[in-house]
Amino acid sequence: MSRRPPFVVFGDDWGRHVSSMQHVFRHIIPTHDVFWVNSIGHRVPQLGLTDLRRAVEKGSRLARRPAPAPTVEGPQPSLIEPKVLPWHHWELVHRWNTRSLERSIRQTLRAAGIMERPVLVTGTPPSAGIVGRLDEVASLYFCMDDFLHLPGVTTSMIGPLEQRLLERVDVVVATVQFLVASKQPRSGVAHYLPQGVSYEHFRTPQPVPDDLASLPRPWIGFAGAISDCCDLDLLNTLAGAIPNGSIVLVGPVTVTDPQRMDRLTASNIHQLGPRPYAELPGFVQAFDVGIIPYLLNPWTEAVDPLKLLEYLASGIPVVSTRLPEVEKYADDVAIADTVDAFAAMTLVAANASPEARSRGQRTASQHDWSARAARFLEIVDEAIEAQQARRSA
């Protein structure tokens, strides 16, 4: 007999990046059946190496039964590799995709012996057509970004699909207060579920990685994707403020225009590239300061930086630009309004007291992903009860 309720989840590619949804569902999988539909795309493909590489990767997965490729240890969901076309804004394609998705999901549930009606959770607007077609007990939109301002997304395609999704789902769960207010479903039910942290993963001491140990200190570190939200000019200024130290960037480069990286001209800025999630705490714990050097724009207004709590859990001081979602941690994070203030605060933070570091760890311990997952399940239960009451009425 299945553990109830089963979940059908539309997310990013499982194991490719460790997203908020993946963190939450890693804690749900041990007690619920979870069927994870890999990414169905948020942009119209273009002729280029990146899209060609992704197409080949998707094609190879479709040619065989997909297996989890986790970047973190722990329980894995049952994966569903979607057979869809990326032109979701064409109505005929959208209908074909919806039928294809419904068929794949129903076949997978049937093969797994799932008889109960599922809960549908989606983080992707192109799945709008599937809402209501699985006889689900409740549907939720797990919103982690403002797609209307997210670089690399075809907003002219995603915008109408997201609006269609908001008209159909029962509940919105958003990681940012701005999204709670701006992504209201027709039901009017929207919940705030901010980012969490794998507390023990980042708290447990690890050795200093060799390629970091060879760099001059202090180590001012950024662990995350070097994307369009990063203020590269701020990084150059910061590098000039600590000429005998190192600015260390650990993560993939995802800027839409790779030539922007040429603006990082300081010789003491070191790009170490992406590292497996299992190795990340070794870098973060060694940083003298963890930084969040984000630009302030409509995109970052809807960002709750995942790395902030990871820094605090690792016991290091944090300096950030004044993002709206950072304000709730103002007691533990130095928040800068100017580039010069950011550099000055970073120099001060490098000498943070052991008491301040311990206080940050205590704050992080209150926001473990297990607590976020428990709250998410409460929201799901409330949504199911509301739908049952509505049907009874």
Side-chain angles (χ1 to χ4, degrees), residues 24-239:
V24 167
F25 275 94
R26 282 179 56 237
H27 289 277
I28 293 176
I29 291 169
T31 55
H32 295 73
D33 290 302
V34 176
F35 298 85
W36 187 278
V37 183
N38 273 336
S39 173
I40 58 177
H42 289 144
R43 64 189 177 92
V44 176
Q46 300 173 346
L47 293 176
L49 288 177
T50 300
D51 286 355
L52 178 61
R53 190 180 302 114
R54 291 285 287 133
V56 171
E57 181 182 326
K58 283 281 188 181
S60 65
R61 290 210 301 260
L62 285 172
R64 64 184 189 279
R65 182 177 178 82
T71 55
V72 292
E73 297 179 356
Q76 310 297 318
S78 299
L79 293 184
I80 299 175
E81 195 60 47
K83 300 177 178 65
V84 297
L85 298 172
W87 299 278
H88 305 285
H89 55 309
W90 294 351
E91 188 59 30
L92 287 178
V93 170
H94 183 68
R95 292 178 184 176
W96 187 91
N97 287 346
T98 297
R99 287 195 294 270
S100 174
L101 290 167
E102 181 183 0
R103 182 167 53 250
S104 295
I105 293 168
R106 288 190 179 278
Q107 288 175 349
T108 303
L109 294 178
R110 187 163 51 249
I114 301 298
M115 305 301 294
E116 297 80 16
R117 297 165 60 196
V119 174
L120 175 62
V121 180
T122 180
T124 175
S127 66
I130 205 72
V131 178
R133 298 178 69 100
L134 299 177
D135 193 30
E136 60 267 19
V137 291
S139 58
L140 298 89
Y141 177 25
F142 198 124
C143 185
M144 297 171 288
D145 289 292
D146 188 351
F147 289 113
L148 300 182
H149 296 101
L150 191 63
V153 167
T154 305
T155 55
S156 60
M157 175 179 71
I158 294 299
L161 289 171
E162 184 178 54
Q163 189 57 45
R164 186 183 302 185
L165 184 63
L166 291 171
E167 292 172 356
R168 296 183 177 186
V169 295
D170 303 316
V171 175
V172 165
V173 177
T175 56
V176 176
Q177 289 283 16
F178 174 82
L179 295 174
V180 174
S182 61
K183 307 297 181 180
Q184 286 283 317
R186 176 177 290 183
S187 67
V189 181
H191 295 273
Y192 178 48
L193 191 74
Q195 301 281 27
V197 63
S198 296
Y199 178 69
E200 289 298 328
H201 183 64
F202 283 90
R203 185 193 70 86
T204 304
Q206 291 195 14
V208 177
D210 292 340
D211 47 355
L212 180 60
S214 63
L215 301 177
R217 299 187 76 159
W219 298 325
I220 311 302
F222 174 78
I226 304 153
S227 65
D228 291 335
C229 71
C230 291
D231 189 337
L232 304 186
D233 293 330
L234 185 155
L235 291 176
N236 278 326
T237 299
L238 186 57

